[in-house]
Amino acid sequence: MKIIDMHCDTISRIYQERKRGKHAALRSNSFHLDLEKMKHAGYLLQNFAMFVDTSQTSSPYGDCREQIQIFQEEMEKNQDFIAPVTSYSEIMENEQQGKMSALITLEEGEVCEGSLEKLKKFYQLGARMMTFTWNFPNKLGFPGEPAANHLSQSQGLTSLGREFLEEMEHLGMIPDVSHLSDAGIRDVCQLARKPFCASHSNARALCQRGRNLPDELIRSIAECGGVIGANYYGPFLSGTSDVFGRYYSYVKDIALHIHHIADVGGIDCIGLGSDFDGIDNNLELKNCGCLELLEQELQKTGFHESEIEKIFFKNVLAFYREVL
């Protein structure tokens, strides 16, 4: 089964490991995701997020540029396995050549530091998707998490955030509403002229977290032609922890969220958005080489093979054919 994953933080993890003086590489590592495990599993494309925690840096733009430099270096080193893409046609060309594809995404709109020129620079460097926020309010809008900030859910895009949405669509960069507040997602649904995505979000009806999508917004994203990548992170899958307060990610729970999103928004709106290397290790899907477990669970719970193909890669590929 081919696989497209809309979100991982592996490049950012390599960046952080190297800052600590440790060796880390993309081809083979002990992380959730590397090229060898991807190739063995049958990956067609991986979105690689350049994630920046603005509470830990004085230069979000500079940190993001450094991560893109690592991405470019790793692509150069591993040309036999993978190649970067900025368009649907390049994805198809790589597949014909027996190579996987890698797409740069940006996680935290503050990496642009409020500058449309910096947004354009990231586009020139190959970025084709960006979240407006991470977990903090910024110049573009308000996040859905942390849940303690209940007011943020009712605050949407700022006026600058609306300008960024318009410019992203003009450039051909996909707006990503994962991490954005409910009001912000409603703003994007109302203002967007092209399909957009929630690259790594689950269903709030099954797990009451601000990062998850209520049914209303699942339907709205689907009606706009968008896709939603199911997230594998335990706290976004189940509200139940063990006696030590730990949340575990089980394949059965991922399948439940996929079923719910497909039931609410239609089978064409759901894909995969693992969040690998941005989440903890309390995972039944230990790494990207274990996706057969999810395929088997989806079969057991009633999805047909053609539907599983849509979930694993065809829905996101069709989305990219339209927007990239």
Side-chain angles (χ1 to χ4, degrees):
M1 180 75 70
K2 296 175 187 176
I3 299 162
I4 295 179
D5 181 353
M6 297 183 75
H7 189 88
C8 79
D9 289 297
T10 310
I11 295 295
S12 300
R13 184 166 179 186
I14 290 171
Y15 172 68
Q16 293 297 334
E17 291 292 308
R18 291 183 183 179
K19 282 181 69 176
R20 288 191 282 268
K22 298 181 179 180
H23 171 76
L26 187 59
R27 192 180 190 94
S28 179
N29 58 53
S30 61
F31 305 158
H32 296 147
L33 186 141
D34 65 31
L35 298 182
E36 292 180 353
K37 292 191 284 282
M38 285 171 59
K39 188 173 180 67
H40 178 74
Y43 271 66
L44 177 63
L45 183 148
Q46 177 66 54
N47 284 10
F48 287 96
M50 310 296 121
F51 162 64
V52 174
D53 181 345
T54 55
S55 71
Q56 302 297 316
T57 180
S58 60
S59 178
Y61 176 73
D63 281 17
C64 192
R65 288 291 303 267
E66 288 180 26
Q67 291 183 43
I68 291 176
Q69 179 66 32
I70 289 173
F71 172 87
Q72 293 169 336
E73 291 169 357
E74 291 295 322
M75 291 297 106
E76 184 70 22
K77 289 177 191 174
N78 295 289
Q79 295 179 47
D80 55 332
F81 270 33
I82 196 164
V85 295
T86 57
S87 68
Y88 172 78
S89 62
E90 290 173 346
I91 299 169
M92 294 296 94
E93 289 168 12
N94 283 346
E95 184 182 26
Q96 290 171 3
Q97 294 172 15
K99 293 184 180 183
M100 299 179 290
S101 292
L103 186 75
I104 295 176
T105 74
L106 310 176
E107 186 177 23
E108 170 57 271
E110 190 61 23
V111 297
C112 297
E113 298 177 347
S115 166
L116 290 171
E117 289 305 312
K118 288 178 178 175
L119 176 70
K120 293 174 187 176
K121 182 60 180 178
F122 283 128
Y123 179 85
Q124 292 165 3
L125 289 168
R128 290 296 181 271
M129 183 184 294
M130 186 178 78
T131 68
F132 291 90
T133 62
W134 184 55
N135 286 352
F136 309 116
N138 64 21
K139 296 180 182 70
L140 307 184
F142 294 83
E145 286 273 307
N149 184 7
H150 298 297
L151 286 175
S152 71
Q153 287 290 16
S154 63
Q155 295 175 287
L157 294 180
T158 64
S159 59
L160 184 60
R162 291 170 180 239
E163 288 183 46
F164 264 70
L165 171 61
E166 183 176 357
E167 184 61 24
M168 288 168 72
E169 291 197 314
H170 173 71
L171 289 170
M173 187 183 289
I174 301 165
D176 182 354
V177 298
S178 283
H179 286 289
L180 192 58
S181 66
D182 290 358
I185 298 174
R186 290 189 194 99
D187 287 340
V188 176
C189 291
Q190 179 182 359
L191 297 169
R193 295 168 298 173
K194 298 178 182 179
F196 56 91
C197 74
S199 66
H200 55 304
S201 294
N202 288 338
R204 197 177 300 170
L206 301 185
C207 180
Q208 289 289 320
R209 293 294 296 262
R211 268 283 282 111
N212 289 341
L213 297 167
D215 288 358
E216 162 217 344
L217 294 179
I218 292 172
R219 277 189 289 269
S220 295
I221 292 168
E223 288 167 1
C224 290
V227 288
I228 298 161
N231 191 314
Y232 306 170
Y233 185 38
F236 298 161
L237 291 167
S238 171
T240 304
S241 65
D242 67 11
V243 294
F244 301 104
R246 294 174 300 198
Y247 292 85
Y248 287 85
S249 169
Y250 295 107
V251 173
K252 65 177 178 61
D253 290 323
I254 301 172
L256 285 172
H257 281 265
I258 288 172
H259 268 281
H260 185 86
I261 293 169
D263 288 344
V264 172
I267 188 62
D268 294 333
C269 82
I270 180 65
L272 303 177
S274 67
D275 215 355
F276 276 147
D277 291 316
I279 55 180
D280 58 37
N281 290 318
N282 298 328
L283 304 169
E284 187 176 4
L285 287 178
K286 294 297 183 185
N287 57 56
C288 70
C290 301
L291 267 292
E292 282 185 355
L293 293 176
L294 180 57
E295 181 182 356
Q296 291 164 6
E297 184 67 24
L298 292 173
Q299 289 170 342
K300 283 196 298 184
T301 55
F303 279 114
H304 300 298
E305 189 73 13
S306 61
E307 294 173 319
I308 298 172
E309 287 183 340
K310 285 190 170 191
I311 295 160
F312 266 53
F313 76 98
K314 284 188 174 179
N315 285 341
V316 179
L317 192 60
F319 173 69
Y320 287 162
R321 184 171 60 238
E322 184 167 358
V323 297
L324 285 181

